């Protein structure tokens, strides 16, 4: 993992590997007041590394989780 190698391994910074995470703070009170969530809808928080989000778009991850958690079949064919 690039992240684990970069912690305390300063020579990796020369090629752009850094141990500093991207952090997004979301005010949940503001989120609920600005977004109309229909009855029965679910809200899911996803924490993922750059390995996930470099390889997959946010929409793919959201759809995959939604079908995996709340539907009977995968959006990509097959069960589960």
């Amino acid at each position: 993992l690039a992240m684990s190698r970069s912690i305390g391994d300063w020579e990796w910074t020369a090629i752009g590997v850094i141990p500093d995470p991207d952090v997004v703070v979301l005010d949940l009170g503001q989120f609920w007041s600005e977004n109309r969530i229909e009855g029965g809808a679910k809200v899911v928080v996803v924490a993922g590394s750059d390995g996930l989000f470099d390889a997959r778009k946010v929409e793919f991850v959201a759809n995959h989780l939604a079908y995996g958690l709340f539907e009977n079949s995968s959006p990509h064919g097959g069960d589960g």
Side-chain angles (χ1 to χ4, degrees), residues 41-71:
K42 307 291 184 198
V43 176
V44 178
V45 176
V46 177
S49 71
D50 59 346
L52 173 62
F53 291 110
D54 284 350
R56 299 293 185 188
K57 292 182 180 181
V58 172
E59 293 82 3
F60 174 89
V61 174
N63 287 334
H64 193 75
L65 286 173
Y67 278 97
L69 293 172
F70 307 115
E71 299 291 332

Side-chain angles (χ1 to χ4, degrees), residues 3-77:
M3 182 182 75
S4 64
R5 279 190 248 159
S6 68
I7 298 172
D9 205 355
W10 300 112
E11 66 268 13
W12 284 93
T13 60
I15 62 168
V17 177
I18 60 171
D20 304 322
D22 289 332
V23 177
V24 176
V25 178
L26 178 66
D27 181 327
L28 292 178
Q30 181 180 352
F31 173 83
W32 289 115
S33 69
E34 292 178 355
N35 294 279
R36 182 180 174 152
I37 308 299
E38 299 295 327
K42 307 291 184 198
V43 176
V44 178
V45 176
V46 177
S49 71
D50 59 346
L52 173 62
F53 291 110
D54 284 350
R56 299 293 185 188
K57 292 182 180 181
V58 172
E59 293 82 3
F60 174 89
V61 174
N63 287 334
H64 193 75
L65 286 173
Y67 278 97
L69 293 172
F70 307 115
E71 299 291 332
N72 291 329
S73 63
S74 169
H76 308 291

